Amino acid sequence: FPNPGRYSVRVSLFNQANQTVMSNSVAIEITQPQGVNQQALNYIKTVLKPVEKQNKFRDLTLLQQQFVNNFRTSVYWKYIIVKLASNYQLLGKFAEAEREFCKVATVSFPYSEKVRRNLEKLNTKLRPVALIPNLPENAEIPTISRPCTPITR
């Protein structure tokens, strides 16, 4: 929602007969962020967004890292972590991407599944399994160490 205020929200879905089903309306109130959340939102709008629009991923990554370091208690922190980790992936900095994803691996939020999938991909990329031929039948199968525990399904 672009501004604080009272909003009325309705949801429409298509049922199996391809008919539109409309929910009752629900009133919600969006409040102005306060304190650290206001500071964080201001940083996002005035610092991160302009650089993001210019597609300067290296500059954006540095600014996102500053955000992550400075606004740990903000409600926006975990979302910027996901963006930061994704940018590290784009830049080929896989260990850094994994480090950032690990910071939110145990947090439940809308990007949890994306974090889990990315950690699996990074784990495979950073720790490939070497196939060991001719293991004795009762030998213990080697395991791969993980730097963080990803979210389970």
Side-chain angles (χ1 to χ4, degrees), residues 61-144:
T61 302
L62 291 172
L63 295 171
Q64 288 170 331
Q65 190 66 64
Q66 287 177 355
F67 179 96
V68 166
N69 295 339
N70 295 331
F71 296 103
R72 288 187 183 278
T73 59
S74 162
V75 297
Y76 307 105
W77 183 78
K78 58 191 168 225
Y79 297 97
I80 299 300
I81 290 250
V82 173
K83 288 185 169 201
L84 172 61
S86 298
N87 283 343
Y88 276 136
Q89 282 182 296
L90 287 171
L91 294 171
K93 296 184 174 187
F94 303 118
E96 290 87 343
E98 183 180 60
R99 179 192 68 219
E100 296 305 321
F101 279 130
C102 283
K103 290 177 183 177
V104 293
T106 59
V107 177
S108 179
F109 70 118
Y111 290 160
S112 295
E113 185 60 24
K114 177 179 182 173
V115 168
R116 188 193 62 73
R117 281 193 316 269
N118 277 288
L119 280 170
E120 284 178 1
K121 289 177 191 173
L122 286 166
N123 193 50
T124 301
K125 192 173 289 267
L126 291 169
R127 294 168 200 82
V129 177
L131 297 177
I132 304 170
N134 303 324
L135 270 179
E137 274 186 44
N138 57 355
E140 198 170 307
I141 298 173
T143 58
I144 300 170

